[in-house]
Amino acid sequence: MKVSIVTLVILLSFNQKVSCAPIFDYIVGKITDIADTVTNTFVNIRAQVENILLATGNNRPVLRLHYPILHQHGDPNFKSNFNDFVEKAAAENETEIPEYINLKSEPTALMSTPQLATLHGRRVESHVIHTKDGYLLTLHRISPRTDRSADLMAVNQTVILHHGLLGSSADWILLGPEKSLPYILTDAGYDVWMANARGNYYSRGHVKMAVDSDAFWRFSFQEMGEHDLSAVIDYIRNLKKSDDPIDYIGHSMGATALLVLLSTNPQYNKYLRVGILLAPLVFMSNVEGPFKVLTAMASSPPEQLLKLIGNKEFVPTRKIPKWLALKYCKGPLLFCCNPLYFISGGIPEDNHAWNLSFLARLLYHVPAGGSTDTIMHYAQLVKSGKFHRYNNVYEEFPLNQVTLPIALFSSSEDWLATIPDVLRLYFSIVNPIDHYIIRGRNMSHTEFVWGARADEIVFKKILEFLDSGLAIIGNAKNSNEVHSDLA
């Protein structure tokens, strides 16, 4: 306990605006834990201290598997290794959150994206690609169903889906065979490619660097836009031997990556037909919730903070400390200790209505991994109010170079991509075609992809944009119209 209190005192010394309340809250929380588990007190404290002290050392917790070797050599045991990876990572949570034990028994909990898609009756392909800076990324492709009508098959339009913060390609198909966006698109004749950003489950490879090295994790969404996304687009264009423009749908960080790419490499604007950005994280002045706690220390995070959240991978144990979750998060501990839900504040109000199978898929696949630098970069955006490069508030990404027609989605219940910030983005890009605002629907940051009514509220509108294509773009261009879903 002494070590942990000293940690908080050091953190406070780096940020004079932070009150002393967290110290007392933490002490109270510890006393409560001790009262609950008297016989195991000293064992638990020792384990917590060891986790903090070893978080940045060579003895990295269970997430450090040799995943890049699987990519480089095409290991036939890829799927079983993925299952082991998820199972071992989630086992960390089971020691403190008993609810995970029941979820683990669900058949789909530990399935990879290809396994889930196959179970859903879809034809799926895995493609491993190289970036210019040596990272190995996995693309998952779901082709149009062969049993569809000739008219639908004639669409053959390519669309890229890019996941959000701490996510993976699995995010898009967690809703199952009937309601997931990739399946809705393939049923309409679209050729769907789901990206995986560097650092998540499926993209932990590099031609030279080991996944547990400091150098491997020195990236943020900046590199995802400049290197990952450009490699994805180039690969698909070359494989299909087509110059036809590609549609792009990005959620959260997937939207950020696109705007980084188009602003720094404007030639990619002509490779795409339309961009649909769900809850884009670009301007973040109005962010709410726990994420604001990191902003004061975003540019120069103290060592003790990095020991708490991870210096390389963000929260590698996939578990927010219980005392921190209880202070800053309202809702079931099962969600509050989940790093993504903790940051986004999107604790589902009606999770009791979710079936056990969906809950298992969700919590065993999310978060899928990401770098601490990515989180710190976003925290810098919150602090500065600008859209700029990592550790350089004076070098903003030139959004005036983004000429692609873009539709934006936002929600009144989103703590990260707030309506005012998305509206600011709308007026900062050259060719906005719509800003679709969702109000009063409990649509949090994560609900855009796997919310219970995402297929009705979000996906239906996405299809309207894609199906209408250039007709909508031509009519709505420069109209500056803002639409709201108030029903």
Side-chain angles (χ1 to χ4, degrees), residues 348-367:
E349 296 181 0
D350 59 345
N351 62 290
H352 63 277
W354 289 353
N355 62 59
L356 200 61
S357 179
F358 174 75
L359 193 59
R361 290 196 303 274
L362 178 65
L363 293 179
Y364 271 76
H365 284 83
V366 177

Side-chain angles (χ1 to χ4, degrees), residues 65-197:
L65 298 186
H66 296 291
Y67 192 67
I69 297 179
L70 301 182
H71 270 321
Q72 287 175 264
H73 301 289
D75 192 323
N77 296 320
F78 165 75
K79 292 181 180 179
S80 62
N81 277 278
F82 172 86
N83 294 350
D84 292 341
F85 178 78
V86 179
E87 183 174 359
K88 290 178 181 179
E92 290 287 326
N93 288 326
E94 293 176 8
T95 60
E96 293 188 7
I97 306 176
E99 292 88 344
Y100 266 91
I101 297 176
N102 293 332
L103 298 180
K104 182 180 175 182
S105 63
E106 287 300 309
T108 61
L110 305 181
M111 288 186 178
S112 64
T113 298
Q115 289 174 322
L116 281 173
T118 301
L119 180 67
H120 297 157
R122 304 293 172 151
R123 190 158 52 97
V124 61
E125 301 170 3
S126 294
H127 298 252
V128 178
I129 65 175
H130 290 72
T131 66
K132 291 181 179 179
D133 56 348
Y135 284 81
L136 299 172
L137 315 176
T138 300
L139 284 172
H140 290 130
R141 179 188 192 184
I142 301 179
S143 303
R145 293 175 57 172
T146 57
D147 61 346
R148 308 304 293 176
S149 69
D151 291 338
L152 290 180
M153 291 299 294
V155 174
N156 197 32
Q157 174 70 25
T158 302
V159 59
I160 296 173
L161 304 185
H162 198 301
H163 62 79
L165 185 63
L166 302 177
S168 75
S169 57
D171 295 358
W172 297 104
I173 60 174
L174 293 177
L175 283 176
E178 303 299 330
K179 300 175 65 174
S180 297
L181 179 59
Y183 305 149
I184 293 174
L185 292 174
T186 54
D187 286 350
Y190 288 87
D191 182 15
V192 176
W193 294 74
M194 299 182 293
N196 283 288

Side-chain angles (χ1 to χ4, degrees), residues 156 158 233 236-246:
N156 197 32
T158 302
I233 294 174
I236 295 174
R237 282 166 52 85
N238 291 333
L239 181 72
K240 298 191 73 171
K241 295 180 173 59
S242 172
D243 292 329
D244 293 339
I246 299 170

Side-chain angles (χ1 to χ4, degrees), residues 415-483:
W415 284 11
L416 297 186
T418 64
I419 292 176
D421 288 335
V422 177
L423 188 60
R424 180 182 171 190
L425 173 61
Y426 178 89
F427 289 110
S428 299
I429 53 181
V430 174
N431 200 4
I433 59 174
D434 202 351
H435 178 196
Y436 190 69
I437 302 174
I438 302 168
R439 300 182 187 274
R441 295 297 192 94
N442 295 322
M443 187 67 64
S444 67
H445 191 70
T446 59
E447 299 289 287
F448 281 90
V449 175
W450 58 68
R453 298 187 61 193
D455 57 325
E456 303 172 11
I457 302 173
V458 180
F459 303 164
K460 182 179 179 180
K461 191 67 178 179
I462 288 176
L463 273 180
E464 289 181 15
F465 283 125
L466 295 180
D467 291 345
S468 299
L470 295 176
I472 277 189
I473 295 171
N475 293 331
K477 185 176 180 180
N478 297 325
S479 67
N480 291 331
E481 294 184 44
V482 179
H483 302 285

Side-chain angles (χ1 to χ4, degrees), residues 39-55:
T39 58
N40 296 319
T41 297
F42 295 101
V43 175
N44 290 340
I45 293 178
R46 179 181 177 183
Q48 293 175 18
V49 172
E50 287 177 349
N51 284 337
I52 293 176
L53 295 178
L54 294 178

Side-chain angles (χ1 to χ4, degrees), residues 101-378:
I101 297 176
N102 293 332
L103 298 180
K104 182 180 175 182
S105 63
E106 287 300 309
T108 61
L110 305 181
M111 288 186 178
S112 64
T113 298
Q115 289 174 322
L116 281 173
T118 301
L119 180 67
H120 297 157
R122 304 293 172 151
R123 190 158 52 97
V124 61
E125 301 170 3
S126 294
H127 298 252
V128 178
I129 65 175
H130 290 72
T131 66
K132 291 181 179 179
D133 56 348
Y135 284 81
L136 299 172
L137 315 176
T138 300
L139 284 172
H140 290 130
R141 179 188 192 184
I142 301 179
S143 303
R145 293 175 57 172
T146 57
D147 61 346
R148 308 304 293 176
S149 69
D151 291 338
L152 290 180
M153 291 299 294
V155 174
N156 197 32
Q157 174 70 25
T158 302
V159 59
I160 296 173
L161 304 185
H162 198 301
H163 62 79
L165 185 63
L166 302 177
S168 75
S169 57
D171 295 358
W172 297 104
I173 60 174
L174 293 177
L175 283 176
E178 303 299 330
K179 300 175 65 174
S180 297
L181 179 59
Y183 305 149
I184 293 174
L185 292 174
T186 54
D187 286 350
Y190 288 87
D191 182 15
V192 176
W193 294 74
M194 299 182 293
N196 283 288
R198 61 183 66 192
N200 80 9
Y201 290 153
Y202 301 101
S203 298
R204 295 192 170 221
H206 194 279
V207 295
K208 293 182 180 179
M209 295 186 294
V211 71
D212 59 353
S213 66
D214 285 340
F216 179 92
W217 294 97
R218 297 282 76 87
F219 63 81
S220 74
F221 59 74
Q222 180 174 308
E223 286 75 17
M224 296 174 195
E226 293 179 337
H227 300 302
D228 293 6
L229 194 49
S230 59
V232 169
I233 294 174
D234 291 344
Y235 179 84
I236 295 174
R237 282 166 52 85
N238 291 333
L239 181 72
K240 298 191 73 171
K241 295 180 173 59
S242 172
D243 292 329
D244 293 339
I246 299 170
D247 293 337
Y248 183 92
I249 302 172
H251 172 238
S252 180
M253 185 180 70
T256 318
L258 177 68
L259 295 177
V260 169
L261 172 66
L262 300 183
S263 62
T264 57
N265 295 282
Q267 67 271 22
Y268 280 89
N269 283 279
K270 65 182 180 181
Y271 298 156
L272 303 176
R273 184 179 69 137
V274 62
I276 299 175
L277 308 186
L278 312 176
L281 297 181
V282 180
F283 297 112
M284 302 179 67
S285 300
N286 296 285
V287 162
E288 301 178 24
F291 202 92
K292 298 176 69 174
V293 177
L294 298 174
T295 59
M297 297 171 281
S299 297
S300 300
E303 182 180 353
Q304 297 302 323
L305 174 63
L306 295 178
K307 286 182 178 180
L308 182 66
I309 66 175
N311 180 39
K312 296 180 284 190
E313 181 175 5
F314 180 67
V315 191
T317 60
R318 301 176 79 237
K319 179 178 57 181
I320 294 294
K322 184 177 179 181
W323 67 268
L324 193 61
L326 289 174
K327 174 169 177 55
Y328 291 103
C329 179
K330 296 181 180 180
L333 193 60
L334 185 68
F335 291 99
C336 286
C337 284
N338 182 292
L340 179 58
Y341 276 106
F342 176 78
I343 288 176
S344 67
I347 307 299
E349 296 181 0
D350 59 345
N351 62 290
H352 63 277
W354 289 353
N355 62 59
L356 200 61
S357 179
F358 174 75
L359 193 59
R361 290 196 303 274
L362 178 65
L363 293 179
Y364 271 76
H365 284 83
V366 177
S371 70
T372 296
D373 283 2
T374 300
I375 303 299
M376 288 295 119
H377 198 168
Y378 278 121

